[in-house]
PDB file of all heavy atoms in Angstrom:
ATOM      1  N   PRO A  93      -3.488  -8.933  -6.924  1.00 98.00           N
ATOM      2  CA  PRO A  93      -3.616  -9.664  -5.656  1.00 98.00           C
ATOM      3  C   PRO A  93      -2.274 -10.253  -5.231  1.00 98.00           C
ATOM      4  O   PRO A  93      -1.479 -10.697  -6.064  1.00 98.00           O
ATOM      5  CB  PRO A  93      -4.636 -10.754  -5.961  1.00 98.00           C
ATOM      6  CG  PRO A  93      -4.550 -10.958  -7.418  1.00 98.00           C
ATOM      7  CD  PRO A  93      -4.191  -9.611  -8.008  1.00 98.00           C
ATOM      8  N   LYS A  94      -2.039 -10.217  -3.926  1.00 98.00           N
ATOM      9  CA  LYS A  94      -0.820 -10.750  -3.310  1.00 98.00           C
ATOM     10  C   LYS A  94       0.461 -10.107  -3.856  1.00 98.00           C
ATOM     11  O   LYS A  94       1.533 -10.701  -3.802  1.00 98.00           O
ATOM     12  CB  LYS A  94      -0.755 -12.275  -3.466  1.00 98.00           C
ATOM     13  CG  LYS A  94      -1.898 -12.989  -2.774  1.00 98.00           C
ATOM     14  CD  LYS A  94      -1.783 -14.480  -2.891  1.00 98.00           C
ATOM     15  CE  LYS A  94      -2.953 -15.145  -2.185  1.00 98.00           C
ATOM     16  NZ  LYS A  94      -2.931 -16.591  -2.357  1.00 98.00           N
ATOM     17  N   THR A  95       0.340  -8.912  -4.377  1.00 98.00           N
ATOM     18  CA  THR A  95       1.497  -8.192  -4.898  1.00 98.00           C
ATOM     19  C   THR A  95       2.234  -7.500  -3.758  1.00 98.00           C
ATOM     20  O   THR A  95       1.620  -6.976  -2.836  1.00 98.00           O
ATOM     21  CB  THR A  95       1.045  -7.176  -5.970  1.00 98.00           C
ATOM     22  OG1 THR A  95       0.533  -7.906  -7.074  1.00 98.00           O
ATOM     23  CG2 THR A  95       2.177  -6.296  -6.436  1.00 98.00           C
ATOM     24  N   ASN A  96       3.558  -7.503  -3.814  1.00 98.00           N
ATOM     25  CA  ASN A  96       4.375  -6.858  -2.795  1.00 98.00           C
ATOM     26  C   ASN A  96       4.722  -5.440  -3.245  1.00 98.00           C
ATOM     27  O   ASN A  96       5.521  -5.252  -4.153  1.00 98.00           O
ATOM     28  CB  ASN A  96       5.659  -7.657  -2.550  1.00 98.00           C
ATOM     29  CG  ASN A  96       6.515  -7.033  -1.462  1.00 98.00           C
ATOM     30  OD1 ASN A  96       6.079  -6.150  -0.731  1.00 98.00           O
ATOM     31  ND2 ASN A  96       7.745  -7.497  -1.342  1.00 98.00           N
ATOM     32  N   LEU A  97       4.101  -4.456  -2.596  1.00 98.00           N
ATOM     33  CA  LEU A  97       4.344  -3.048  -2.877  1.00 98.00           C
ATOM     34  C   LEU A  97       4.997  -2.364  -1.668  1.00 98.00           C
ATOM     35  O   LEU A  97       4.888  -1.161  -1.490  1.00 98.00           O
ATOM     36  CB  LEU A  97       3.031  -2.345  -3.233  1.00 98.00           C
ATOM     37  CG  LEU A  97       2.434  -2.736  -4.587  1.00 98.00           C
ATOM     38  CD1 LEU A  97       0.932  -2.593  -4.594  1.00 98.00           C
ATOM     39  CD2 LEU A  97       3.062  -1.905  -5.685  1.00 98.00           C
ATOM     40  N   LYS A  98       5.679  -3.143  -0.846  1.00 98.00           N
ATOM     41  CA  LYS A  98       6.305  -2.605   0.354  1.00 98.00           C
ATOM     42  C   LYS A  98       7.314  -1.516  -0.027  1.00 98.00           C
ATOM     43  O   LYS A  98       8.209  -1.737  -0.832  1.00 98.00           O
ATOM     44  CB  LYS A  98       7.017  -3.714   1.132  1.00 98.00           C
ATOM     45  CG  LYS A  98       7.603  -3.240   2.438  1.00 98.00           C
ATOM     46  CD  LYS A  98       8.227  -4.383   3.226  1.00 98.00           C
ATOM     47  CE  LYS A  98       8.786  -3.865   4.540  1.00 98.00           C
ATOM     48  NZ  LYS A  98       9.352  -4.956   5.329  1.00 98.00           N
ATOM     49  N   GLY A  99       7.117  -0.318   0.533  1.00 97.00           N
ATOM     50  CA  GLY A  99       8.019   0.793   0.295  1.00 97.00           C
ATOM     51  C   GLY A  99       7.928   1.400  -1.091  1.00 97.00           C
ATOM     52  O   GLY A  99       8.722   2.262  -1.453  1.00 97.00           O
ATOM     53  N   ALA A 100       6.951   0.976  -1.893  1.00 98.00           N
ATOM     54  CA  ALA A 100       6.803   1.507  -3.254  1.00 98.00           C
ATOM     55  C   ALA A 100       6.299   2.946  -3.207  1.00 98.00           C
ATOM     56  O   ALA A 100       5.610   3.355  -2.276  1.00 98.00           O
ATOM     57  CB  ALA A 100       5.840   0.645  -4.060  1.00 98.00           C
ATOM     58  N   ASN A 101       6.648   3.721  -4.236  1.00 97.00           N
ATOM     59  CA  ASN A 101       6.172   5.091  -4.355  1.00 97.00           C
ATOM     60  C   ASN A 101       5.016   5.117  -5.347  1.00 97.00           C
ATOM     61  O   ASN A 101       5.232   5.014  -6.549  1.00 97.00           O
ATOM     62  CB  ASN A 101       7.309   6.010  -4.823  1.00 97.00           C
ATOM     63  CG  ASN A 101       6.899   7.473  -4.820  1.00 97.00           C
ATOM     64  OD1 ASN A 101       5.719   7.793  -4.750  1.00 97.00           O
ATOM     65  ND2 ASN A 101       7.878   8.349  -4.904  1.00 97.00           N
ATOM     66  N   LEU A 102       3.803   5.230  -4.815  1.00 97.00           N
ATOM     67  CA  LEU A 102       2.591   5.263  -5.626  1.00 97.00           C
ATOM     68  C   LEU A 102       1.979   6.663  -5.658  1.00 97.00           C
ATOM     69  O   LEU A 102       0.780   6.817  -5.890  1.00 97.00           O
ATOM     70  CB  LEU A 102       1.567   4.271  -5.059  1.00 97.00           C
ATOM     71  CG  LEU A 102       1.906   2.795  -5.237  1.00 97.00           C
ATOM     72  CD1 LEU A 102       1.229   1.945  -4.180  1.00 97.00           C
ATOM     73  CD2 LEU A 102       1.532   2.329  -6.618  1.00 97.00           C
ATOM     74  N   SER A 103       2.783   7.688  -5.449  1.00 97.00           N
ATOM     75  CA  SER A 103       2.227   9.038  -5.423  1.00 97.00           C
ATOM     76  C   SER A 103       1.627   9.395  -6.780  1.00 97.00           C
ATOM     77  O   SER A 103       2.210   9.114  -7.823  1.00 97.00           O
ATOM     78  CB  SER A 103       3.280  10.065  -4.984  1.00 97.00           C
ATOM     79  OG  SER A 103       4.378  10.074  -5.846  1.00 97.00           O
ATOM     80  N   LYS A 104       0.420   9.933  -6.720  1.00 97.00           N
ATOM     81  CA  LYS A 104      -0.359  10.340  -7.888  1.00 97.00           C
ATOM     82  C   LYS A 104      -0.708   9.177  -8.829  1.00 97.00           C
ATOM     83  O   LYS A 104      -1.094   9.390  -9.972  1.00 97.00           O
ATOM     84  CB  LYS A 104       0.332  11.459  -8.656  1.00 97.00           C
ATOM     85  CG  LYS A 104       0.486  12.728  -7.844  1.00 97.00           C
ATOM     86  CD  LYS A 104       1.099  13.846  -8.648  1.00 97.00           C
ATOM     87  CE  LYS A 104       1.245  15.084  -7.775  1.00 97.00           C
ATOM     88  NZ  LYS A 104       1.901  16.176  -8.487  1.00 97.00           N
ATOM     89  N   ALA A 105      -0.571   7.946  -8.343  1.00 98.00           N
ATOM     90  CA  ALA A 105      -0.955   6.786  -9.155  1.00 98.00           C
ATOM     91  C   ALA A 105      -2.473   6.675  -9.194  1.00 98.00           C
ATOM     92  O   ALA A 105      -3.165   7.040  -8.248  1.00 98.00           O
ATOM     93  CB  ALA A 105      -0.349   5.507  -8.584  1.00 98.00           C
ATOM     94  N   TYR A 106      -2.995   6.152 -10.295  1.00 98.00           N
ATOM     95  CA  TYR A 106      -4.431   5.946 -10.441  1.00 98.00           C
ATOM     96  C   TYR A 106      -4.718   4.457 -10.336  1.00 98.00           C
ATOM     97  O   TYR A 106      -4.322   3.677 -11.201  1.00 98.00           O
ATOM     98  CB  TYR A 106      -4.946   6.513 -11.762  1.00 98.00           C
ATOM     99  CG  TYR A 106      -6.446   6.422 -11.876  1.00 98.00           C
ATOM    100  CD1 TYR A 106      -7.252   7.051 -10.920  1.00 98.00           C
ATOM    101  CD2 TYR A 106      -7.059   5.715 -12.884  1.00 98.00           C
ATOM    102  CE1 TYR A 106      -8.631   6.962 -10.987  1.00 98.00           C
ATOM    103  CE2 TYR A 106      -8.438   5.619 -12.968  1.00 98.00           C
ATOM    104  CZ  TYR A 106      -9.221   6.251 -12.010  1.00 98.00           C
ATOM    105  OH  TYR A 106     -10.584   6.158 -12.065  1.00 98.00           O
ATOM    106  N   LEU A 107      -5.388   4.069  -9.227  1.00 97.00           N
ATOM    107  CA  LEU A 107      -5.680   2.670  -8.936  1.00 97.00           C
ATOM    108  C   LEU A 107      -7.183   2.408  -8.930  1.00 97.00           C
ATOM    109  O   LEU A 107      -7.652   1.499  -8.258  1.00 97.00           O
ATOM    110  CB  LEU A 107      -5.068   2.290  -7.587  1.00 97.00           C
ATOM    111  CG  LEU A 107      -3.541   2.348  -7.558  1.00 97.00           C
ATOM    112  CD1 LEU A 107      -3.042   3.251  -6.470  1.00 97.00           C
ATOM    113  CD2 LEU A 107      -2.965   0.976  -7.420  1.00 97.00           C
ATOM    114  N   GLY A 108      -7.935   3.189  -9.681  1.00 97.00           N
ATOM    115  CA  GLY A 108      -9.386   3.040  -9.731  1.00 97.00           C
ATOM    116  C   GLY A 108      -9.800   1.636 -10.141  1.00 97.00           C
ATOM    117  O   GLY A 108      -9.350   1.135 -11.168  1.00 97.00           O
ATOM    118  N   GLY A 109     -10.598   0.977  -9.322  1.00 98.00           N
ATOM    119  CA  GLY A 109     -11.096  -0.358  -9.628  1.00 98.00           C
ATOM    120  C   GLY A 109     -10.041  -1.453  -9.602  1.00 98.00           C
ATOM    121  O   GLY A 109     -10.305  -2.585  -9.985  1.00 98.00           O
ATOM    122  N   ALA A 110      -8.845  -1.133  -9.142  1.00 98.00           N
ATOM    123  CA  ALA A 110      -7.764  -2.133  -9.089  1.00 98.00           C
ATOM    124  C   ALA A 110      -8.045  -3.162  -7.998  1.00 98.00           C
ATOM    125  O   ALA A 110      -8.630  -2.861  -6.962  1.00 98.00           O
ATOM    126  CB  ALA A 110      -6.421  -1.466  -8.842  1.00 98.00           C
ATOM    127  N   ASN A 111      -7.600  -4.398  -8.229  1.00 98.00           N
ATOM    128  CA  ASN A 111      -7.727  -5.466  -7.245  1.00 98.00           C
ATOM    129  C   ASN A 111      -6.380  -5.627  -6.549  1.00 98.00           C
ATOM    130  O   ASN A 111      -5.439  -6.149  -7.132  1.00 98.00           O
ATOM    131  CB  ASN A 111      -8.143  -6.775  -7.915  1.00 98.00           C
ATOM    132  CG  ASN A 111      -8.325  -7.900  -6.916  1.00 98.00           C
ATOM    133  OD1 ASN A 111      -7.916  -7.810  -5.761  1.00 98.00           O
ATOM    134  ND2 ASN A 111      -8.937  -8.979  -7.360  1.00 98.00           N
ATOM    135  N   LEU A 112      -6.304  -5.152  -5.297  1.00 98.00           N
ATOM    136  CA  LEU A 112      -5.101  -5.249  -4.472  1.00 98.00           C
ATOM    137  C   LEU A 112      -5.353  -6.156  -3.273  1.00 98.00           C
ATOM    138  O   LEU A 112      -4.746  -5.991  -2.219  1.00 98.00           O
ATOM    139  CB  LEU A 112      -4.686  -3.853  -4.000  1.00 98.00           C
ATOM    140  CG  LEU A 112      -4.186  -2.914  -5.106  1.00 98.00           C
ATOM    141  CD1 LEU A 112      -4.683  -1.507  -4.891  1.00 98.00           C
ATOM    142  CD2 LEU A 112      -2.693  -2.942  -5.171  1.00 98.00           C
ATOM    143  N   SER A 113      -6.241  -7.123  -3.438  1.00 98.00           N
ATOM    144  CA  SER A 113      -6.568  -8.005  -2.319  1.00 98.00           C
ATOM    145  C   SER A 113      -5.322  -8.765  -1.869  1.00 98.00           C
ATOM    146  O   SER A 113      -4.532  -9.234  -2.688  1.00 98.00           O
ATOM    147  CB  SER A 113      -7.689  -8.982  -2.709  1.00 98.00           C
ATOM    148  OG  SER A 113      -7.323  -9.748  -3.826  1.00 98.00           O
ATOM    149  N   ASP A 114      -5.129  -8.814  -0.562  1.00 98.00           N
ATOM    150  CA  ASP A 114      -4.000  -9.499   0.070  1.00 98.00           C
ATOM    151  C   ASP A 114      -2.640  -8.945  -0.358  1.00 98.00           C
ATOM    152  O   ASP A 114      -1.609  -9.609  -0.205  1.00 98.00           O
ATOM    153  CB  ASP A 114      -4.049 -11.020  -0.190  1.00 98.00           C
ATOM    154  CG  ASP A 114      -5.311 -11.647   0.392  1.00 98.00           C
ATOM    155  OD1 ASP A 114      -5.594 -11.402   1.579  1.00 98.00           O
ATOM    156  OD2 ASP A 114      -6.021 -12.352  -0.348  1.00 98.00           O
ATOM    157  N   ALA A 115      -2.609  -7.747  -0.910  1.00 98.00           N
ATOM    158  CA  ALA A 115      -1.346  -7.112  -1.311  1.00 98.00           C
ATOM    159  C   ALA A 115      -0.640  -6.541  -0.079  1.00 98.00           C
ATOM    160  O   ALA A 115      -1.257  -6.296   0.960  1.00 98.00           O
ATOM    161  CB  ALA A 115      -1.604  -5.995  -2.317  1.00 98.00           C
ATOM    162  N   ASN A 116       0.654  -6.324  -0.197  1.00 98.00           N
ATOM    163  CA  ASN A 116       1.449  -5.728   0.880  1.00 98.00           C
ATOM    164  C   ASN A 116       1.794  -4.298   0.489  1.00 98.00           C
ATOM    165  O   ASN A 116       2.605  -4.083  -0.406  1.00 98.00           O
ATOM    166  CB  ASN A 116       2.721  -6.539   1.118  1.00 98.00           C
ATOM    167  CG  ASN A 116       3.566  -5.980   2.251  1.00 98.00           C
ATOM    168  OD1 ASN A 116       3.193  -5.005   2.901  1.00 98.00           O
ATOM    169  ND2 ASN A 116       4.708  -6.584   2.485  1.00 98.00           N
ATOM    170  N   LEU A 117       1.156  -3.326   1.154  1.00 98.00           N
ATOM    171  CA  LEU A 117       1.430  -1.913   0.906  1.00 98.00           C
ATOM    172  C   LEU A 117       2.143  -1.284   2.103  1.00 98.00           C
ATOM    173  O   LEU A 117       2.080  -0.077   2.317  1.00 98.00           O
ATOM    174  CB  LEU A 117       0.131  -1.160   0.616  1.00 98.00           C
ATOM    175  CG  LEU A 117      -0.423  -1.375  -0.777  1.00 98.00           C
ATOM    176  CD1 LEU A 117      -1.563  -2.361  -0.762  1.00 98.00           C
ATOM    177  CD2 LEU A 117      -0.856  -0.073  -1.381  1.00 98.00           C
ATOM    178  N   GLN A 118       2.825  -2.092   2.864  1.00 97.00           N
ATOM    179  CA  GLN A 118       3.491  -1.614   4.074  1.00 97.00           C
ATOM    180  C   GLN A 118       4.472  -0.494   3.748  1.00 97.00           C
ATOM    181  O   GLN A 118       5.391  -0.659   2.952  1.00 97.00           O
ATOM    182  CB  GLN A 118       4.222  -2.771   4.753  1.00 97.00           C
ATOM    183  CG  GLN A 118       4.832  -2.394   6.085  1.00 97.00           C
ATOM    184  CD  GLN A 118       5.438  -3.602   6.792  1.00 97.00           C
ATOM    185  OE1 GLN A 118       5.341  -4.735   6.345  1.00 97.00           O
ATOM    186  NE2 GLN A 118       6.068  -3.354   7.913  1.00 97.00           N
ATOM    187  N   GLY A 119       4.230   0.672   4.359  1.00 96.00           N
ATOM    188  CA  GLY A 119       5.133   1.808   4.209  1.00 96.00           C
ATOM    189  C   GLY A 119       5.170   2.420   2.819  1.00 96.00           C
ATOM    190  O   GLY A 119       6.065   3.207   2.506  1.00 96.00           O
ATOM    191  N   ALA A 120       4.203   2.105   1.973  1.00 96.00           N
ATOM    192  CA  ALA A 120       4.173   2.666   0.617  1.00 96.00           C
ATOM    193  C   ALA A 120       3.812   4.148   0.663  1.00 96.00           C
ATOM    194  O   ALA A 120       3.068   4.595   1.538  1.00 96.00           O
ATOM    195  CB  ALA A 120       3.173   1.912  -0.249  1.00 96.00           C
ATOM    196  N   ASN A 121       4.345   4.924  -0.285  1.00 95.00           N
ATOM    197  CA  ASN A 121       4.011   6.341  -0.415  1.00 95.00           C
ATOM    198  C   ASN A 121       2.742   6.435  -1.257  1.00 95.00           C
ATOM    199  O   ASN A 121       2.761   6.100  -2.441  1.00 95.00           O
ATOM    200  CB  ASN A 121       5.166   7.093  -1.084  1.00 95.00           C
ATOM    201  CG  ASN A 121       4.868   8.581  -1.266  1.00 95.00           C
ATOM    202  OD1 ASN A 121       3.752   9.041  -1.074  1.00 95.00           O
ATOM    203  ND2 ASN A 121       5.887   9.317  -1.660  1.00 95.00           N
ATOM    204  N   LEU A 122       1.653   6.899  -0.647  1.00 95.00           N
ATOM    205  CA  LEU A 122       0.353   6.948  -1.305  1.00 95.00           C
ATOM    206  C   LEU A 122      -0.126   8.379  -1.551  1.00 95.00           C
ATOM    207  O   LEU A 122      -1.304   8.598  -1.834  1.00 95.00           O
ATOM    208  CB  LEU A 122      -0.676   6.186  -0.465  1.00 95.00           C
ATOM    209  CG  LEU A 122      -0.289   4.760  -0.065  1.00 95.00           C
ATOM    210  CD1 LEU A 122      -1.318   4.172   0.887  1.00 95.00           C
ATOM    211  CD2 LEU A 122      -0.096   3.886  -1.280  1.00 95.00           C
ATOM    212  N   THR A 123       0.761   9.349  -1.496  1.00 94.00           N
ATOM    213  CA  THR A 123       0.403  10.759  -1.634  1.00 94.00           C
ATOM    214  C   THR A 123      -0.348  11.006  -2.943  1.00 94.00           C
ATOM    215  O   THR A 123       0.150  10.688  -4.025  1.00 94.00           O
ATOM    216  CB  THR A 123       1.662  11.652  -1.591  1.00 94.00           C
ATOM    217  OG1 THR A 123       2.368  11.377  -0.393  1.00 94.00           O
ATOM    218  CG2 THR A 123       1.300  13.122  -1.645  1.00 94.00           C
ATOM    219  N   ASP A 124      -1.554  11.558  -2.832  1.00 96.00           N
ATOM    220  CA  ASP A 124      -2.403  11.916  -3.971  1.00 96.00           C
ATOM    221  C   ASP A 124      -2.779  10.734  -4.871  1.00 96.00           C
ATOM    222  O   ASP A 124      -3.206  10.929  -6.014  1.00 96.00           O
ATOM    223  CB  ASP A 124      -1.764  13.025  -4.825  1.00 96.00           C
ATOM    224  CG  ASP A 124      -1.678  14.354  -4.079  1.00 96.00           C
ATOM    225  OD1 ASP A 124      -2.611  14.649  -3.308  1.00 96.00           O
ATOM    226  OD2 ASP A 124      -0.687  15.071  -4.262  1.00 96.00           O
ATOM    227  N   ALA A 125      -2.621   9.502  -4.395  1.00 97.00           N
ATOM    228  CA  ALA A 125      -3.053   8.335  -5.173  1.00 97.00           C
ATOM    229  C   ALA A 125      -4.577   8.260  -5.168  1.00 97.00           C
ATOM    230  O   ALA A 125      -5.234   8.702  -4.232  1.00 97.00           O
ATOM    231  CB  ALA A 125      -2.460   7.057  -4.590  1.00 97.00           C
ATOM    232  N   ASN A 126      -5.130   7.696  -6.220  1.00 97.00           N
ATOM    233  CA  ASN A 126      -6.575   7.558  -6.356  1.00 97.00           C
ATOM    234  C   ASN A 126      -6.942   6.078  -6.231  1.00 97.00           C
ATOM    235  O   ASN A 126      -6.560   5.279  -7.075  1.00 97.00           O
ATOM    236  CB  ASN A 126      -7.020   8.112  -7.713  1.00 97.00           C
ATOM    237  CG  ASN A 126      -8.525   8.089  -7.883  1.00 97.00           C
ATOM    238  OD1 ASN A 126      -9.215   7.237  -7.337  1.00 97.00           O
ATOM    239  ND2 ASN A 126      -9.036   9.020  -8.666  1.00 97.00           N
ATOM    240  N   PHE A 127      -7.686   5.753  -5.162  1.00 96.00           N
ATOM    241  CA  PHE A 127      -8.087   4.375  -4.877  1.00 96.00           C
ATOM    242  C   PHE A 127      -9.591   4.169  -5.055  1.00 96.00           C
ATOM    243  O   PHE A 127     -10.149   3.255  -4.480  1.00 96.00           O
ATOM    244  CB  PHE A 127      -7.707   3.993  -3.441  1.00 96.00           C
ATOM    245  CG  PHE A 127      -6.256   3.673  -3.235  1.00 96.00           C
ATOM    246  CD1 PHE A 127      -5.357   4.661  -2.868  1.00 96.00           C
ATOM    247  CD2 PHE A 127      -5.783   2.389  -3.404  1.00 96.00           C
ATOM    248  CE1 PHE A 127      -4.016   4.367  -2.668  1.00 96.00           C
ATOM    249  CE2 PHE A 127      -4.448   2.076  -3.217  1.00 96.00           C
ATOM    250  CZ  PHE A 127      -3.563   3.070  -2.839  1.00 96.00           C
ATOM    251  N   SER A 128     -10.256   4.985  -5.859  1.00 97.00           N
ATOM    252  CA  SER A 128     -11.710   4.853  -6.002  1.00 97.00           C
ATOM    253  C   SER A 128     -12.070   3.457  -6.510  1.00 97.00           C
ATOM    254  O   SER A 128     -11.461   2.942  -7.448  1.00 97.00           O
ATOM    255  CB  SER A 128     -12.260   5.918  -6.960  1.00 97.00           C
ATOM    256  OG  SER A 128     -11.738   5.746  -8.250  1.00 97.00           O
TER     257      SER A 128
END
Side-chain angles (χ1 to χ4, degrees):
K94 298 182 180 176
T95 294
N96 182 12
L97 290 152
K98 184 176 181 178
N101 186 344
L102 290 155
S103 60
K104 297 183 181 177
Y106 185 59
L107 295 124
N111 182 346
L112 292 141
S113 58
D114 299 309
N116 181 2
L117 283 101
Q118 185 175 355
N121 179 350
L122 308 174
T123 305
D124 293 324
N126 184 330
F127 283 91
S128 63

